[in-house]
Amino acid sequence: MTPVTSPPRGRAAGADGPPDGSGPGLEAEDVQAAFDAAVAADERIEPRDWMPDTYRSTLVRQIAQHAHSEIIGMQPEANWITRAPSLRRKAILMAKVQDEAGHGLYLYGAAETLGTSRDELLDKLHAGRQKYSSIFNYPTLTWADVGAIGWLVDGAAITNQVPLCRCSYGPYARAMVRICKEESFHQRQGYELLLALTRGTEAQRAMAQDAVDRWWWPSLMMFGPPDDESSHSAQSMAWKIKRHSNDELRQRFVDICVPQAEALGVTLPDPELRWNEERGHWDFGAIDWQEFREVLKGNGPCNEQRLHRRRTAHENGAWVREAAAAHAAKHTATHATGHTADHAADRTAADRDDRVEPAAAGPAQPNTAPDTAPDTAPDGAGAPSASRSTRSRA
Amino acid sequence: MTSPAPPAPATLPLGDDALILSHRLGEWAGHAPVLEEEVALANIALDLLGQARALYAGLSDLLGSEDEIAFLREERAFRNCQLTEQPNGDFAHTIVRQLFFSTYQQPLFAQLSPVLPLAAKAVRETAYHRDHAEQWTLRLGDGTEESHTRTQRAADTLWRYTGELFQPVEGLEVDWPGLAEEWHASIGDVFARAGLTVPAGPSEGAWSAGAGRQGLHTEPFGLLLAEMQHLHRSHPGAAW
Ligand SMILES: [Fe+2]
Ligand SMILES: [Fe+2]
């Protein structure tokens, strides 16, 4: 990966210049103007570029929450790995949960380019001082929930995240290119899992419908509060960290899902769902924002369980991390901590291509292509994981 | 190797080893000590699951589909060695189990690969698993007092399941004594470098020695199968 794709612009005076401070420093107004111009021109801000403190802190907050969601999101699905009803599904599910760990790694890496370490962010998550997506505070009660999560939750994530591939901050945008490719693969697999159920026995059909009934509304909540209540949106849109409003994205998602539900043979649990000729969109019923706020506050069905499990894994792993650090300290650089681990992570996506069969009959993901135009994929396109999704889509 | 393909059931123990150890490693998802190990343990689990499926595919004429083989056999019909079914324990326990198994599986697959329905890729995979386990054994054995204690305890606990690995499997043309010798030399070397002591106790249980290969398992295995098989068995004939 090339961390910097363009020469740094508008570096703060002396901050990154020669040690004697004699570099061509820029005045405060100049760097602000250079930043604003770059954002206006849809250029990427890179780690060494000057950026406003609030831009940096907004990004760290958003990337951290996203990274935390990836790793907490492993739990509800990992819940079914040991019970997957066929070896093919077991392989697909293990690979999916592994992908989410990989997404966590990319995102914590993107946050590191802003000067915030993974450890620091994990501590905040464990202390309950940073959030993760509330959707993962709902339980996976049956096997069909694995399909519903893939179809709806990964589907909503894609709708939210595809525009982030054009986010003004380079490392985040590039991470999102890689992630979106894998998420769209997950979405197709989830759809295909549900399709097998709706074409199966009576009991399997009932299982699929029940899962969709439980996951539909929480999925709509994933786009966040309605536009008139969303506190961070305006500034994020101005900075091009965010490109569409919550309500716009939610509508886009509903419009995508309705025909897919029909093709699946499941009913979406909303009696007010109907096509609005005038708007050219599907109308849908009112969301229970009271439930949203309760889950956000920590009163969802699994908030405590998810955080407890995360903390426990971290605490139980402390002696392992200490041992690796102690061993590394005793030896030379060739035995550096995490060498094997890095090797493992590198190997994941590259070698796994042929392991998981492609989803047979997932829906097309019409919103993926336009937003991941070539200009958004400078180094992400070279990611080995991309080839897996591409190959399986073929 | 010029020998003919081994009779089909001979490869069943190898498939069962891979399936059951993969299942155990899958239990780590969301529990690993560091994010990189979430990825690494899942990699190994996926490799092993792929091996199991390839080996089962070669048995379909005799035993049915891969899912029938995995989900519809009773405990006594499983031929995996007892080492692979042992619960995960702590990270050191999982690593030592993997070291013992991969140090066995890698040369075994290397010897058998010309006659097994496995791509050469499987041998490369096992070499990677072995390297991963060795690296971690070195870190843990030599890391802190606590990691050393935990790793030594894991080795002592698991040692009794290692003798079974070298019981000849009927129908597989393997130099079993040579395999055992190579294994002991390699484990001895890794342990020496990690500052660990090769256990002195018996490498076989007094009652159950060699029994996994004959379908005699340990208590945790029944629970593993109950969890793994229950959904599939709850919907007879359903497709997934
Ligand atoms: Fe993800
Ligand atoms: Fe995903």
Side-chain angles (χ1 to χ4, degrees):
Chain A
M1 223 190 327
T2 333
V4 177
T5 53
S6 56
R9 84 177 64 75
R11 277 188 239 158
D16 220 15
D20 62 358
S22 65
L26 292 169
E27 297 305 322
E29 311 90 80
D30 295 334
V31 290
Q32 178 73 55
F35 172 86
D36 291 343
V39 169
D42 269 338
E43 284 170 28
R44 287 284 159 69
I45 307 300
E46 296 297 338
R48 291 163 67 209
D49 293 336
W50 181 89
M51 63 187 83
D53 288 345
T54 42
Y55 175 85
R56 185 185 298 272
S57 61
T58 298
L59 272 170
V60 168
R61 183 175 51 80
Q62 179 171 334
I63 296 173
Q65 176 165 337
H66 191 166
H68 299 333
S69 302
E70 298 286 355
I71 64 168
I72 295 276
M74 294 168 70
Q75 291 183 32
E77 292 193 275
N79 184 35
W80 282 93
I81 287 177
T82 54
R83 292 176 286 173
S86 75
L87 296 187
R88 173 171 172 266
R89 293 287 175 203
K90 192 176 176 122
I92 290 173
L93 183 55
M94 278 206 281
K96 183 191 173 183
V97 173
Q98 183 193 41
D99 282 347
E100 307 304 1
H103 298 172
L105 282 172
Y106 304 157
L107 288 164
Y108 287 119
E112 263 163 24
T113 67
L114 293 161
T116 315
S117 74
R118 192 203 306 180
D119 286 345
E120 195 180 333
L121 295 179
L122 283 176
D123 286 346
K124 285 184 177 157
L125 169 67
H126 298 151
R129 288 192 289 124
Q130 279 180 341
K131 298 219 171 295
Y132 55 87
S133 177
S134 274
I135 192 75
F136 300 119
N137 290 318
Y138 291 86
T140 48
L141 302 179
T142 74
W143 170 250
D145 289 33
V146 172
I149 288 185
W151 176 43
L152 295 173
V153 175
D154 285 274
I158 295 164
T159 308
N160 257 333
Q161 292 169 10
V162 162
L164 294 175
C165 298
R166 296 187 294 133
C167 163
S168 57
Y169 186 59
Y172 189 30
R174 288 188 289 274
M176 290 318 303
V177 171
R178 303 169 75 174
I179 290 173
C180 282
K181 283 183 175 141
E182 294 182 351
E183 300 298 12
S184 101
F185 194 62
H186 298 166
Q187 194 257 3
R188 291 162 58 89
Q189 289 170 331
Y191 180 92
E192 197 251 340
L193 188 163
L194 288 176
L195 194 64
L197 297 180
T198 57
R199 290 183 177 171
T201 65
E202 195 53 53
Q204 286 176 306
R205 271 194 294 282
M207 198 189 274
Q209 182 62 55
D210 169 60
V212 170
D213 288 346
R214 283 181 288 108
W215 287 95
W216 173 249
W217 289 108
S219 299
L220 293 191
M221 295 176 197
M222 284 176 70
F223 297 91
D227 292 347
D228 47 14
E229 291 172 30
S230 177
S231 48
H232 302 293
S233 282
Q235 181 60 74
S236 288
M237 302 259 282
W239 277 331
K240 296 188 181 171
I241 292 174
K242 200 176 158 106
R243 300 232 175 207
H244 306 279
S245 79
N246 294 352
D247 286 332
E248 247 173 86
L249 292 168
R250 188 164 17 241
Q251 181 70 60
R252 186 182 290 186
F253 178 68
V254 171
D255 290 347
I256 291 169
C257 286
V258 173
Q260 292 181 352
E262 207 169 303
L264 269 177
V266 293
T267 310
L268 295 173
D270 180 357
E272 291 173 51
L273 206 55
R274 58 181 55 87
W275 178 250
N276 184 322
E277 194 64 58
E278 209 172 300
R279 294 201 306 124
H281 291 292
W282 288 87
D283 289 339
F284 54 97
I287 290 169
D288 181 355
W289 292 112
Q290 184 55 30
E291 174 181 322
F292 176 77
R293 282 186 290 269
E294 281 301 314
V295 178
L296 202 63
K297 252 199 291 178
N299 299 327
C302 301
N303 298 57
E304 224 166 288
Q305 177 190 332
R306 301 284 186 243
L307 206 52
H308 175 74
R309 167 135 171 215
R310 180 86 269 293
R311 281 194 201 114
T312 307
H314 193 73
E315 284 160 15
N316 288 346
W319 68 268
V320 178
R321 297 188 299 274
E322 282 159 20
H327 175 77
K330 290 184 208 171
H331 296 265
T332 56
T334 51
H335 291 99
T337 318
H339 168 75
T340 305
D342 291 346
H343 167 55
D346 286 348
R347 187 177 167 277
T348 317
D351 281 13
R352 216 184 48 216
D353 291 46
D354 46 351
R355 272 187 222 158
V356 179
E357 294 132 85
Q365 198 51 53
N367 60 338
T368 308
D371 271 314
T372 39
D375 73 296
T376 64
D379 56 18
S385 51
S387 62
R388 180 167 66 89
S389 308
T390 310
R391 195 177 305 172
S392 48
R393 252 200 304 267
Chain B
M1 204 179 289
T2 53
S3 58
T11 60
L12 184 62
L14 307 182
D16 287 348
D17 282 350
L19 175 70
I20 299 306
L21 188 53
S22 165
H23 183 95
R24 282 294 186 213
L25 291 169
E27 293 173 355
W28 269 102
H31 292 282
V34 56
L35 210 40
E36 284 81 356
E37 285 307 300
E38 291 284 357
V39 175
L41 294 173
N43 256 335
I44 299 171
L46 280 163
D47 286 344
L48 290 168
L49 184 52
Q51 293 166 11
R53 297 178 69 192
L55 289 162
Y56 289 162
L59 297 172
S60 58
D61 286 349
L62 279 162
L63 299 175
S65 72
E66 62 175 23
D67 287 341
E68 287 174 287
I69 298 176
F71 296 104
L72 297 179
R73 276 182 303 152
E74 298 295 321
E75 176 169 338
R76 295 297 304 274
F78 277 82
R79 292 288 185 266
N80 54 287
C81 59
Q82 294 180 347
L83 178 68
T84 58
E85 74 205 31
Q86 295 312 305
N88 288 336
D90 63 13
F91 187 71
H93 201 83
T94 289
I95 289 298
V96 171
R97 184 185 62 195
Q98 196 65 47
L99 178 74
F100 286 171
F101 182 74
S102 295
T103 305
Y104 158 77
Q105 195 200 31
Q106 194 252 325
L108 181 65
F109 274 16
Q111 279 193 47
L112 288 171
S113 65
V115 294
L116 288 181
L118 286 171
K121 181 166 89 61
V123 181
R124 289 200 301 276
E125 288 166 357
T126 58
Y128 159 72
H129 305 166
R130 185 174 172 178
D131 180 56
H132 175 263
E134 285 183 6
Q135 294 300 323
W136 269 111
T137 303
L138 294 180
R139 284 198 197 109
L140 298 180
D142 160 77
T144 62
E145 203 180 310
E146 179 177 10
S147 70
H148 177 89
T149 306
R150 286 175 183 266
T151 310
Q152 186 64 56
R153 188 167 61 212
D156 294 343
T157 307
L158 290 167
W159 189 252
R160 65 179 297 176
Y161 302 106
T162 57
E164 175 184 10
L165 300 173
F166 308 103
Q167 297 245 330
V169 174
E170 206 185 324
L172 291 183
E173 208 171 291
V174 170
D175 171 14
W176 297 101
L179 195 67
E181 201 177 310
E182 196 184 326
W183 187 90
H184 280 98
S186 173
I187 295 295
D189 171 59
V190 173
F191 271 37
R193 284 190 288 143
L196 296 163
T197 309
V198 175
S203 65
E204 290 173 353
W207 174 75
S208 61
R213 296 289 188 230
Q214 276 88 54
L216 200 59
H217 294 279
T218 54
E219 283 187 351
F221 190 50
L223 292 168
L224 181 156
L225 287 186
E227 189 172 343
M228 185 176 87
Q229 297 183 334
H230 108 271
L231 179 58
H232 184 95
R233 286 179 179 240
S234 299
H235 298 264
W240 299 96

